[in-house]
Amino acid sequence: MIQLIVNGQSRCFPAGEGGGAQHHDSSGGVLNITQLLEHMGLQGKRIAVERNGEIIPRSKFSQPMLVDGDSLEIVVAVGGG
């Protein structure tokens, strides 16, 4: 499990498979933003993600980068008039 702070709330997520050794959490797992969004039911939506104060480009969502204790801000774009 990886514990993350998402939009100010502490939440735990199951770690994904594989990834680089430097991104392993204490349980040996990794998680990327794509997997996180799937766990949150947000896949396919227009989303902006900030990790520890840095905006993450969509092209890096599949890279294993999330580690225990990371702080994320996730903004979902809502259309309409």
Side-chain angles (χ1 to χ4, degrees):
M1 297 293 281
I2 293 177
Q3 184 168 3
L4 303 171
I5 299 171
V6 180
N7 296 342
Q9 296 186 338
S10 181
R11 299 180 60 177
C12 289
F13 296 92
E17 300 285 327
Q22 72 272 20
H23 300 293
H24 282 233
D25 71 348
S26 58
S27 67
V30 295
L31 187 67
N32 64 41
I33 292 173
T34 299
Q35 293 166 328
L36 174 68
L37 295 176
E38 288 172 2
H39 287 296
M40 296 180 70
L42 297 174
Q43 68 274 23
K45 297 189 182 280
R46 297 181 64 183
I47 290 180
V49 178
E50 180 185 282
R51 174 182 165 250
N52 300 330
E54 180 179 332
I55 299 292
I56 306 298
R58 183 172 291 275
S59 62
K60 293 187 176 182
F61 280 12
S62 62
Q63 295 179 4
M65 63 174 61
L66 300 178
V67 296
D68 208 37
D70 275 352
S71 179
L72 301 162
E73 293 293 327
I74 300 176
V75 177
V76 180
V78 177

